[in-house]
Structures are given as C-alpha cells and as structure tokens.
Amino acid sequence: MKKFLSFAALAAMCVSTFTACSDDDTPTPTPTPVTVTNGLFVINAGNSSAQIDGSLTFISKDGNVVQNAFSTANGRSLGNTPNDAIVHGSKLYIAVTGENTIEVIDRNTLKSTQISTTKLMGDDKGKQPRRLLAGGKYVFVSTFDGYVAQIDTTDYSLSNIYKAGSYPEGMAGSGSTLYVANSDYGSGVNPSISAIDLNTGNSTELKNELVMNPTSLAAVGDNLYILDYGRYDENYNQQDAGVRLMNGGNVTKVVAATMMAVDAQRGLIYTVNAPYTYPATPVTYNVYNISTGENKTFIGGDDIESPAAIAVDPANGDVYITSYKMDYDTGFADYFTNGYVNQYTADGTFVRQFTTGVGPTALVFNYYTTYE
C-alpha cells in the first residue's frame, strides 16, 4: 500500500529541511519501501459435509489469537467453505465458495461488505468463486463457471469479465497479462493455463503434457511457476504433483510438491509434498532456490500431523504451515476439530504454534508498505 504525500506535507518538509528542497547539487535520498507485517489472518474452511461453517482466525504480531474474528465483528457467519483471501489496500478480501460471495473486510474493524458473485456476474458465470488476485484498483476473482471477474475496488462494481478455461483456480499477473490456472477439476481432459491480455480481453490457452491439474500460480520475473496437483490413478492415488516452470512455450519440472509458497523477494519457493495416497506417502518440506536450482530440506516436519497450507511472511521471511490434527483411532486427519499453525524462521527453526479453527486452508498476512 503506497503512501502519497500531500502538497502541504511536502511544503512542510521543505521548510524543515531547506537544503534538501533547494536547487543545489545535493542529491535527495530516495525513500526505501519497507514491508511491515502486523499479524496473520487464517482462513478456516470448516467442513461443509458436517455443516461446520468457515471462520476467520486472527493472530496478532505479539502472538494473541482471536478465534471467530469475522462472526464476532459482523454478527453473522462467514459461511460455507471460504476458500481464499488476499490483502489489498485497507481491505481483506475473502472468496466464500459455497456462498457465491466475496467478503470485503476492513482490516482495522473487520466489518464486512458482502458482494454476491452471481448477482455481479450472472448466474451462469458467478458460481463458486475460488481464488483472488489484486492489481492496481482492481481485484480479480476466478469462478468454477469458467470466468474471471475484474472488480473495481472503489465501488465494488464489475469492470470486466474474462473467459478462462475449465474450472479456473489460482491467478498471477505479469505486465498486462493475467494468467489463470484452469484445473479442469482434476479430470485431466482439458487442463490449461489461460493467458489473458487485459488490454484487449483476448485469451490464449497454453497447454502442455506437464500441465495436468494446475491450481496455483506465481510470476517471478519472466518465469511463471505452476503448482500442479498431477493426476490420480484407478485407486485415487495422487501422482506427479509438483511445481512446474513455464517460460515462453516451455514447461519443465522443478520439484515434487502439493503445496507451495513463493518468496519472490528472496528468490525462494517453499514446498510441501503430501500426496494423497494409500498407504500414506511420507511428507517432505523443502525450500528451492530459484537462482541456483538447489532444493534442500527445510524442516523434518515431525511436529506437523496433516499439512493444509503454507505461506511466507513478506516482511521477514518466516514460514507458516497449517495442519489438521490427526484422529489416531482412524489414522486419518480429523476434519471436525480445530487445527493449528506452526511458525518457523526462514532457516527452519520452530518458533511457536497457534490454534486455528476447523480446516485452516489459507493464510494471508496483514501487511503494509511504508517508506524509510
């Protein structure tokens, strides 16, 4: 979030530091942008089949945990299956898949304005909002109907609708191009990456045999990193999940993974590889260096029972991994009780653990940018 100085404030600066605003040859220092994190939002998906609504957990910078933060502030439930969230400007945006809504939440008060995606986009385009992306004065939302809405953040009006591919999920922006991961709902019939020119609205479908079930995207320089869930065999065992690199028309494998968090500032990709298999495959936690190609173990992971999401703090590089608790009577994750999130330093040192709500499947940092 940029901070702009008014003319009056600029004039005051010139009075107090006259030489810096004069016409002499002394260069004026360029302000340095600094990212500051003031807490963490955990999006808890709940459990739709058990009629457990989703919720919002807020963890403050000093470690205080507030459960059910959304319902407490708004007097209503967050609803059925909140799926993704972003912070943009003064707002927190949450896509609630089962309700066909976007919650636009004031980051200070947590009071929310609700947007119906079916009313905004139409019943044929706005069902099941999935992922969010912010750029400039707009927020983009993908829906399982196969579209992406461009929403003006000044009045929450619909600025444009773009046609994507089959069951679109995550998005990434690079210049005037919006990339969309079309998962095809894991069927493997028509997965692709949409490259949408935001100036013209024209869309190109990018296909490759390594793009099987793309779900998340991250643009780093000229490279597009794709988290792909791979395919499922006849026994529903997940195979070939991993991070792919798309550059131009080429797609290559990077690392095996079912979750990723990209730290573009430091050139790192943190991954969790926990494929759905029976019997269970041992889970691995790695960090991949984009510049060198080195992939090494980040943590052993013995203190994580059933990983659900991963994210990197943009301010200090700390890594947060959420988890379900295990039901040791059944040997499977417990999808009915509260989960937790572990905090680690960038070198993998465990810091602390926090309790979350049921199904902690998305993380977003309450960050802002200031200037020094």
Side-chain angles (χ1 to χ4, degrees):
M1 179 177 65
K2 293 183 178 179
K3 292 186 177 179
F4 296 95
L5 292 174
S6 67
F7 181 82
L10 183 59
M13 288 175 61
C14 291
V15 170
S16 61
T17 55
F18 184 79
T19 55
C21 295
S22 69
D23 293 331
D24 65 12
D25 295 330
T26 303
T28 302
T30 302
T32 301
V34 177
T35 300
V36 178
T37 297
N38 189 27
L40 172 68
F41 295 107
V42 183
I43 314 303
N44 306 298
N47 185 328
S48 179
S49 63
Q51 298 183 331
I52 300 173
D53 278 352
S55 66
L56 178 67
T57 300
F58 179 68
I59 303 170
S60 68
K61 187 176 181 179
D62 57 7
N64 290 325
V65 179
V66 179
Q67 305 289 6
N68 301 308
F70 178 90
S71 59
T72 299
N74 294 280
R76 59 183 174 88
S77 170
L78 186 53
N80 182 1
T81 318
N83 187 68
D84 192 28
I86 57 170
V87 160
H88 186 55
S90 62
K91 301 294 192 293
L92 166 70
Y93 297 80
I94 302 178
V96 188
T97 301
E99 304 290 345
N100 299 327
T101 57
I102 305 296
E103 297 287 351
V104 184
I105 303 168
D106 184 287
R107 285 202 276 166
N108 294 316
T109 67
L110 297 186
K111 294 290 186 180
S112 182
T113 299
Q114 189 180 79
I115 300 172
S116 166
T117 52
T118 51
K119 289 181 180 179
L120 188 71
M121 303 170 65
D123 289 337
D124 60 333
K125 299 180 178 67
K127 293 190 297 297
Q128 294 184 281
R130 296 294 296 174
R131 300 292 186 90
L132 298 160
L133 179 72
K137 60 177 290 190
Y138 301 108
V139 165
F140 299 86
V141 54
S142 63
T143 70
F144 263 174
D145 279 329
Y147 293 87
V148 173
Q150 179 178 300
I151 302 173
D152 191 316
T153 59
T154 59
D155 58 6
Y156 312 132
S157 63
L158 181 66
S159 176
N160 215 329
I161 293 181
Y162 302 100
K163 185 73 176 75
S166 177
Y167 291 93
E169 291 271 9
M171 297 168 286
S174 180
S176 61
T177 301
L178 175 69
Y179 294 97
V180 186
N182 303 306
S183 70
D184 199 33
Y185 208 60
S187 70
V189 176
N190 195 29
S192 66
I193 305 295
S194 291
I196 301 172
D197 187 325
L198 296 178
N199 294 323
T200 65
N202 295 332
S203 179
T204 302
E205 296 298 303
L206 308 174
K207 296 187 177 184
N208 186 281
E209 63 181 5
L210 293 179
V211 178
M212 308 173 192
N213 184 4
T215 58
S216 299
L217 302 176
V220 182
D222 295 329
N223 296 327
L224 184 69
Y225 289 93
I226 306 166
L227 177 67
D228 195 291
Y229 277 3
R231 58 187 178 85
Y232 297 87
D233 65 18
E234 63 276 7
N235 296 315
Y236 303 103
N237 292 306
Q238 187 177 8
Q239 299 180 350
D240 299 323
V243 177
R244 326 290 200 220
L245 167 61
M246 177 178 284
N247 186 293
N250 299 318
V251 179
T252 55
K253 291 184 177 182
V254 178
V255 292
T258 55
M259 305 170 204
M260 76 172 181
V262 178
D263 186 347
Q265 179 179 343
R266 299 167 183 83
L268 302 172
I269 301 177
Y270 291 89
T271 61
V272 179
N273 191 38
Y276 180 85
T277 60
Y278 186 81
T281 301
V283 180
T284 57
Y285 302 83
N286 286 4
V287 56
Y288 173 82
N289 188 300
I290 292 174
S291 297
T292 66
E294 180 186 17
N295 186 47
K296 62 181 182 180
T297 299
F298 172 59
I299 58 171
D302 293 339
D303 53 345
I304 300 174
E305 295 169 272
S306 181
I310 183 171
V312 182
D313 187 333
N316 61 14
D318 280 4
V319 178
Y320 292 74
I321 301 175
T322 69
S323 178
Y324 292 93
K325 291 184 178 179
M326 290 295 294
D327 183 335
Y328 291 100
D329 291 333
T330 66
F332 294 97
D334 188 340
Y335 297 104
F336 306 94
T337 60
N338 289 340
Y340 57 89
V341 57
N342 284 357
Q343 177 185 356
Y344 302 88
T345 62
D347 65 1
T349 301
F350 176 79
V351 178
R352 49 190 173 175
Q353 183 179 100
F354 306 97
T355 299
T356 67
V358 178
T361 52
L363 299 162
V364 62
F365 294 92
N366 189 28
Y367 70 92
Y368 61 93
T369 300
T370 185
Y371 290 85
E372 292 184 348

